[in-house]
Amino acid sequence: MTTTRAPTHPYLSIVVPVHQGARVLPWSLEALAASDLPRECWELIVVDDASTDTTSLIAAQFADIVVRLPGKPRGPAYARNRGFEVARGECIVFVDADVCVHSGTLRQFARVFATEADVSAVFGSYDSKPPAKGLVSQYRNLLHHYTHHRNPGEAQTFWAGCGAVRAGVFREAGMYDEWHFTRPQIEDIELGHRIRALGHRIVLRPEIQGSHLKQWTLRGMVLTDLNDRGVPWTRLLVQEGQALAGGSLNIKNVEKVNTLLTCMAVVFVFAAIWTGRSQLLFGTIDCLLWVLFVNRSLYTFFESARGFFFALAVVPLHLLYYVLNGMAAFFGWMLHETVGEPIPDATTQAFAEVGVKSWPPVRVKHPSGAWRLPKPRE
């Protein structure tokens, strides 16, 4: 761990987890450095999750503290927790390494916490000008922007791409679940559920924005929506008995209906092929026309942002999004029924049973030269 001259009494602690971030980290940290919130009000902590490129050297040029994690990468949940452990601010701001915050983002976070005592956590949105080229990248980042701007106010979840939480609440909630989420998944959503369960308030303020640098591919979109988001999220909702509840961000009842209808459209296509009854395709047309009609405001937004042909081109991607949601819901429910709650591997469980609270257990050296595992933290 390296340090520079940090602010004496920071109000905000900015935690940036990063793995192999040499390409995007300079842009992200320069954006933070350009913040209009006075520098003495915030400290910057970069957690290098076992990178083998020049990530730590780049971080050292900007950060007050650089935490370098050895060995293999352990995921953003683990990295963010290690950053929190050295943070001194009253509120913790989490910013992904591929997000460039706007100049007013930190000031807006500070204002929410200073003026709204009943708000325990707040998160923002991607902006409408993602720099990554390509149809999939533009679609995914603009869809995120649209969804968050359509759902301001009270939230049931949390978003760590550009989100903040009071330090005491984060500690009370038990921090991120680094035992279950060892790669980027729904660790922030799961944290939000625990914060809400404790009776704390989370709000979405879409005017707090950052620009997302991620370059999406179709394959990456499919794997993320199935393996890293949809399936674990479904298992979490089923486990908590909220699978049929409406109102949570991204899983409103209308979205569930759209998912069902899109999947039914696919079933009608296969049924028509299997039986040779082409009239079944009218069912496909009816389902898809309804989904397109319900999403007309989304496609109008796409048209205003990128033009008519872009809005037309993303329709198949958006229908695929609903198909992936349906597949994720099915496989998530099946895994819950057949396997049960997601559990860590055997080694992790063994350490948990003897009381080790951080993972992986890091050996510390006694003055005598002997090595031991650290005592469990209460």
Side-chain angles (χ1 to χ4, degrees):
M1 181 173 69
T2 60
T3 64
T4 62
R5 187 175 180 180
T8 306
H9 300 291
Y11 182 60
L12 301 179
S13 291
I14 319 302
V15 176
V16 180
V18 58
H19 173 68
Q20 302 295 87
R23 185 181 63 84
V24 295
L25 193 61
W27 300 94
S28 176
L29 299 187
E30 285 175 4
L32 285 166
S35 172
D36 60 15
L37 183 69
R39 191 61 175 86
E40 62 269 18
C41 296
W42 56 279
E43 64 177 352
L44 176 58
I45 302 166
V46 177
V47 185
D48 180 2
D49 188 14
S51 298
T52 57
D53 58 9
T54 59
T55 289
S56 60
L57 296 178
I58 295 169
Q61 300 175 39
F62 296 88
D64 301 303
I65 299 174
V66 179
V67 180
R68 299 183 64 186
L69 303 179
K72 65 180 182 180
R74 312 214 177 259
Y78 182 83
R80 293 185 187 117
N81 285 348
R82 301 294 80 76
F84 170 73
E85 289 172 345
V86 299
R88 298 173 300 145
E90 296 180 33
C91 305
I92 312 299
V93 179
F94 298 106
V95 177
D96 281 351
D98 60 358
V99 172
C100 293
V101 298
H102 290 190
S103 60
T105 295
L106 299 186
R107 172 177 44 81
Q108 289 169 303
F109 276 133
R111 179 182 298 161
V112 169
F113 288 126
T115 61
E116 302 181 53
D118 62 331
V119 172
S120 297
V122 56
F123 60 96
S125 168
Y126 292 145
D127 63 22
S128 61
K129 298 179 180 179
K133 304 299 181 182
L135 181 67
V136 180
S137 294
Q138 291 286 307
Y139 161 70
R140 290 295 295 204
N141 291 323
L142 288 174
L143 176 63
H144 183 284
H145 172 86
Y146 174 85
T147 302
H148 279 212
H149 277 253
R150 292 273 293 184
N151 297 276
E154 302 296 322
Q156 305 297 320
T157 64
F158 182 66
W159 178 52
C162 184
V165 59
R166 296 186 189 273
V169 172
F170 184 65
R171 185 181 296 106
E172 179 188 2
M175 307 194 296
Y176 290 99
D177 186 351
E178 63 194 54
W179 296 78
H180 286 95
F181 303 109
T182 57
R183 66 178 190 273
Q185 287 187 302
I186 60 162
E187 68 281 348
D188 49 356
I189 294 172
E190 192 273 339
L191 171 67
H193 281 229
R194 281 187 280 122
I195 291 175
R196 289 281 301 178
L198 291 170
H200 295 291
R201 186 178 174 216
I202 304 173
V203 295
L204 164 56
R205 298 290 164 80
E207 66 274 13
I208 303 176
Q209 294 186 26
S211 185
H212 196 203
L213 304 180
K214 181 172 179 175
Q215 184 75 49
W216 283 90
T217 64
L218 183 60
R219 180 178 182 273
M221 168 181 155
V222 171
L223 290 178
T224 296
D225 283 353
L226 281 179
N227 199 36
D228 294 333
R229 305 291 287 183
V231 170
W233 197 344
T234 298
R235 297 181 73 182
L236 175 65
L237 292 175
V238 173
Q239 175 189 332
E240 296 181 349
Q242 299 183 27
L244 298 178
S248 295
L249 187 65
N250 288 341
I251 50 173
K252 290 182 175 296
N253 287 331
V254 65
E255 291 293 276
K256 295 175 184 177
V257 172
N258 287 338
T259 296
L260 177 62
L261 289 175
T262 306
C263 292
M264 287 177 60
V266 174
V267 171
F268 278 127
V269 169
F270 281 104
I273 295 173
W274 181 264
T275 63
R277 298 172 60 188
S278 59
Q279 60 267 34
L280 290 174
L281 294 177
F282 287 108
T284 296
I285 295 173
D286 290 341
C287 291
L288 294 184
L289 285 177
W290 174 258
V291 173
L292 295 176
F293 175 77
V294 170
N295 281 286
R296 62 193 183 279
S297 61
L298 171 62
Y299 301 132
T300 300
F301 164 73
F302 283 143
E303 181 183 12
S304 64
R306 294 295 183 272
F308 173 77
F309 290 106
F310 175 85
L312 190 64
V314 300
V315 169
L317 285 177
H318 198 56
L319 295 177
L320 174 61
Y321 163 78
Y322 284 129
V323 171
L324 294 173
N325 284 350
M327 294 174 61
F330 174 76
F331 287 119
W333 177 79
M334 284 292 294
L335 285 172
H336 177 81
E337 294 298 320
T338 58
V339 178
E341 178 187 354
I343 58 175
D345 58 58
T347 303
T348 302
Q349 291 185 73
F351 278 112
E353 289 173 1
V354 298
V356 176
K357 297 295 180 66
S358 68
W359 181 254
V362 181
R363 291 181 177 271
V364 294
K365 195 172 185 179
H366 277 234
S368 63
W371 290 88
R372 64 165 178 81
L373 291 174
K375 292 181 178 179
R377 298 195 308 273
E378 297 299 332

